[in-house]
Amino acid sequence: MFSFFANPARFMVLSRWLAPLLGAAAAVCLVLGLYLAAMAPVDYQQGETVRIMFVHVPAAWMGLFCYMCLAGASFVGLVFRHSLADVAARAAAPMGATFTALALVTGSLWGRPMWGTWWAWGDARLTSEFILFVFYLGYMALHMAIDDEARSARAAAILAMVGVVNLPVVHFSVEWWNSLHQGASVLRKGGPAMPKVYLIPLLLMTLGYTTLFGSLWLVQIRAAVWKKRANALTRAQAEA
């Protein structure tokens, strides 16, 4: 399976139609999700600020998901030396960092009226989410700091592997320690705890974020493949 997707020719054929398909799915899900979020009733405790949830929660989930994709691709590149693995990891990093930054910013905007503060370093979820953002930045900085492409890929892949340790901390922090955040209300025993009027737009936004990431990820990898091909052609012409 790894060999199939690591083949650049096969990847380019597959991604040529899959990227726009995912992009179209993202547009539909996000438009419908935003509409239903705008139409959702005001929460009796949170008021209008409840609508931040539809942007914040999917962004936080995507921060974790993108890092899993980054770490998985880094592992494949480090162990199996597949040609597209490092390209995929590098393409996932900026988008994962963007989702995580969005989660941090919207979380602060949501936390101020709910908790009375923009930030609380004593909250494990907030701190571990910020550490996740730092890992993204560190991964990208390592790639830029080392000129040799093979060495930078190995160093960044090792850092990505180390950062995996933080993922369960982010996810389970509300269960392991006292937190300002509430416990799981969607993925929990007994089913989701929130009403469908909130759950449906939340799931649509999450699906929209996920398909948007998938589409942009494929586009970024395709761009990197075309760039490598162009560089190789330029070198061949210069040597001829």
Side-chain angles (χ1 to χ4, degrees), residues 21-36 204-205 207-208 211:
L21 180 63
L22 290 174
V28 172
C29 290
L30 291 174
V31 169
L32 184 56
L34 287 171
Y35 173 76
L36 293 178
L204 280 171
M205 292 296 292
L207 183 58
T211 49

Side-chain angles (χ1 to χ4, degrees), residues 36-59:
L36 293 178
M39 294 297 102
V42 174
D43 184 74
Y44 76 100
Q45 286 183 319
Q46 302 181 49
E48 292 288 351
T49 59
V50 72
R51 304 190 196 284
I52 299 176
M53 169 180 66
F54 303 112
V55 176
H56 169 74
V57 174

Side-chain angles (χ1 to χ4, degrees), residues 8 53 55 68 91 115 118 154 158 165 168 177 180 189:
M53 169 180 66
V55 176
M68 286 190 289
W115 305 332
W118 298 102
R154 287 194 298 271
I158 292 171
V165 176
W177 299 286
L180 294 172
K189 285 185 178 181

Side-chain angles (χ1 to χ4, degrees), residues 22-239:
L22 290 174
V28 172
C29 290
L30 291 174
V31 169
L32 184 56
L34 287 171
Y35 173 76
L36 293 178
M39 294 297 102
V42 174
D43 184 74
Y44 76 100
Q45 286 183 319
Q46 302 181 49
E48 292 288 351
T49 59
V50 72
R51 304 190 196 284
I52 299 176
M53 169 180 66
F54 303 112
V55 176
H56 169 74
V57 174
W61 287 346
M62 288 304 300
L64 294 174
F65 178 72
C66 292
Y67 198 90
M68 286 190 289
C69 293
L70 184 156
S74 296
F75 175 80
V76 172
L78 190 63
V79 176
F80 299 100
R81 298 289 196 271
H82 284 299
S83 59
L84 285 180
D86 180 59
V87 174
R90 293 186 68 173
M95 290 182 285
T98 301
F99 281 122
T100 306
L102 179 61
L104 290 170
V105 171
T106 54
S108 294
L109 294 174
W110 198 5
R112 183 66 179 90
M114 293 298 99
W115 305 332
T117 182
W118 298 102
W119 190 267
W121 284 109
D123 185 88
R125 172 63 63 80
L126 285 172
T127 304
S128 57
E129 186 78 9
F130 179 75
I131 292 172
L132 176 64
F133 181 63
V134 172
F135 269 112
Y136 275 120
L137 296 183
Y139 177 89
M140 292 186 288
L142 257 182
H143 262 297
M144 293 186 292
I146 303 175
D147 292 331
D148 184 85
E149 188 173 336
R151 288 180 57 233
S152 69
R154 287 194 298 271
I158 292 171
L159 178 63
M161 296 295 98
V162 174
V164 171
V165 176
N166 186 51
L167 299 186
V169 177
V170 176
H171 182 71
F172 294 108
S173 56
V174 294
E175 299 177 16
W176 292 346
W177 299 286
N178 291 328
S179 175
L180 294 172
H181 288 80
Q182 68 181 50
S185 55
V186 178
L187 300 176
R188 59 190 290 274
K189 285 185 178 181
M194 66 174 58
K196 288 184 179 180
V197 70
Y198 295 132
L199 179 63
I200 292 174
L202 180 63
L203 294 179
L204 280 171
M205 292 296 292
T206 302
L207 183 58
Y209 278 33
T210 305
T211 49
L212 177 63
F213 165 71
S215 178
L216 294 177
W217 196 22
L218 293 177
V219 169
Q220 289 293 320
I221 298 172
R222 285 177 61 85
V225 172
W226 281 117
K227 182 178 179 181
K228 284 191 173 185
R229 289 179 177 179
N231 290 339
L233 181 60
T234 301
R235 286 194 300 268
Q237 291 175 341
E239 294 170 358

